[in-house]
């Protein structure tokens, strides 16, 4: 780990009164959840247009559900790691704090975070395509589940390609990005819009940007400090350096 970079990032955090964190799939990689675009990522194994669009679901709901049932089973096996717990602690350290995530695994909540905006929905939510019914949990609901209230088909509570983000979520995320002093961008390749533009929004009004990612990304050029490493170790190291400065 680059100690000088960790120190520099800690100094930025020490003078921050409005902090926005943006996390992507790499945040959960060390919990055991595959990312999307890395070497063994989900989109190297299946085509998004066959599993993650409304059209795919309409064409073959059983096939789409089969993939989501597998992902829900995988999610039931994993736990948040120390990096998730550090971000939950940071809520207490900065008065204006927002965590924006594209992750659908709910691990930030399970680690104790409460100020979370989930842009892409939740894998542990299943909702009705016809009414407002939804059910939370990872129980297997079968090959082609239907609503107990209106008999329409149930679907995974995630946002698919071509769909709108949950109402209010994007506005709240941009509001946080546009007022923060520092944004920490963790584990995202930065290719999926509109989430990637949050960093531009932060930078445009003069915020500092810290990137935590083992690899360079589309967003690295916007970063004031790049911490090259997995977030499970890097975030606790950054937390420790920040605490040393504060003591
Ligand atoms: N710590 C931090 N970052 C990591 C780690 C780790 N341990 N392991 C991998 N990464 C980084 C990779 O280097 C890569 O930059 O995580 C990033 C994962 O990128 P993507 O798979 O593209 O995930 P993300 O940017 O979150 O975009 C995923 O795409 O298809 C959509 O809806 C889907 O929300 C999802 C979005």
């Amino acid at each position: 780990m680059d100690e000088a970079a960790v120190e520099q990032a800690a100094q930025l955090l020490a003078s921050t009164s409005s902090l926005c964190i943006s996390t992507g799939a790499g945040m959960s990689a060390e919990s055991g959840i595959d990312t999307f675009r890395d070497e063994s990522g989900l989109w190297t194994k299946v085509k998004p247009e066959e599993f993650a669009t409304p059209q795919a679901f309409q064409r073959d709901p059983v096939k789409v559900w089969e993939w989501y049932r597998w992902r829900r089973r995988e999610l039931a096996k994993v736990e948040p790691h120390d990096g998730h717990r550090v971000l939950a602690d940071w809520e207490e350290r900065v008065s204006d704090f927002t965590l924006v995530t594209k992750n659908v695994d709910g691990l930030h909540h399970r680690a104790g975070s409460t100020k979370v905006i989930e842009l892409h929905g939740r894998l542990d939510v299943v909702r009705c395509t016809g009414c407002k019914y939804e059910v939370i949990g990872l129980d297997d609901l079968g090959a082609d589940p239907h609503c107990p209230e209106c008999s329409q088909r149930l679907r995974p509570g995630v946002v698919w390609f071509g769909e709108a983000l949950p109402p209010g979520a994007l506005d709240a995320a941009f509001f946080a990005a546009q007022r923060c002093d520092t944004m920490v961008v963790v584990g995202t390749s930065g290719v999926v819009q509109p989430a990637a533009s949050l960093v531009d929004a932060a930078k445009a009004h003069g915020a500092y940007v810290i990137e935590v990612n083992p690899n360079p990304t589309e967003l690295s050029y916007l970063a004031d400090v790049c911490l090259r490493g997995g977030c499970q170790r890097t975030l606790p190291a950054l937390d420790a350096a920040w605490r040393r400065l504060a003591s």
Side-chain angles (χ1 to χ4, degrees):
M1 200 174 310
D2 180 345
E3 298 296 337
V6 171
E7 201 57 34
Q8 197 188 345
Q11 274 167 10
L12 295 179
L13 290 174
S15 59
T16 289
S17 56
S18 177
L19 179 60
C20 182
I21 313 286
S22 174
T23 69
M27 182 76 221
S28 303
E30 287 158 291
S31 283
I33 301 181
D34 287 335
T35 64
F36 290 88
R37 295 174 186 79
D38 288 312
E39 216 167 289
S40 62
L42 292 173
W43 296 154
T44 66
K45 295 173 193 148
V46 302
K47 290 187 182 148
E49 59 272 26
E50 284 180 24
F51 293 91
T53 66
Q55 294 80 5
F57 189 60
Q58 219 162 19
R59 252 189 334 263
D60 196 341
V62 173
K63 175 177 162 177
V64 169
W65 257 120
E66 195 175 291
W67 192 61
Y68 281 94
R69 290 166 77 195
W70 168 73
R71 288 184 64 194
R72 284 161 59 88
R73 282 196 301 274
E74 293 301 299
L75 180 54
K77 297 177 197 162
V78 308
E79 296 290 336
H81 58 61
D82 287 345
H84 291 101
R85 282 186 277 276
V86 161
L87 296 184
D89 286 347
W90 286 0
E91 270 187 28
E92 306 299 324
R93 306 202 62 197
V94 183
S95 55
D96 183 16
F97 179 95
T98 310
L99 197 167
V100 184
T101 188
K102 296 190 289 294
N103 297 346
V104 294
D105 51 45
L107 290 183
H108 286 302
H109 284 285
R110 282 174 54 196
S113 286
T114 60
K115 297 176 179 175
V116 185
I117 299 171
E118 288 167 317
L119 291 177
H120 292 177
R122 285 280 285 260
L123 208 45
D124 61 358
V125 172
V126 171
R127 59 185 170 85
C128 181
T129 53
C131 73
K132 286 191 163 34
Y133 176 84
E134 66 173 36
V135 56
I136 299 173
L138 291 170
D139 290 348
D140 186 11
L141 302 178
D144 186 12
H146 282 66
C147 180
E149 287 178 6
C150 75
S151 304
Q152 295 291 303
R153 182 163 273 137
L154 295 178
R155 58 163 285 175
V158 300
V159 176
W160 283 324
F161 286 100
E163 291 187 313
L165 302 188
L170 195 60
D171 286 350
F174 271 95
F175 185 52
Q178 280 158 356
R179 70 172 189 269
C180 69
D181 308 320
T182 306
M183 175 175 277
V184 184
V185 188
V186 186
T188 177
S189 58
V191 300
V192 173
Q193 291 295 357
S197 302
L198 289 171
V199 186
D200 296 283
K203 201 70 197 167
H205 79 90
Y208 293 111
V209 174
I210 300 166
E211 179 176 68
V212 179
N213 198 310
N215 305 303
T217 73
E218 300 284 315
L219 302 172
S220 298
Y221 79 100
L222 290 166
D224 297 279
V225 188
C226 292
L227 303 180
R228 292 280 169 248
C231 55
Q232 184 175 18
R233 276 187 61 227
T234 306
L235 287 172
L238 179 54
D239 180 62
W242 183 7
R243 283 176 195 280
R244 276 196 300 276
L245 286 176
S247 63

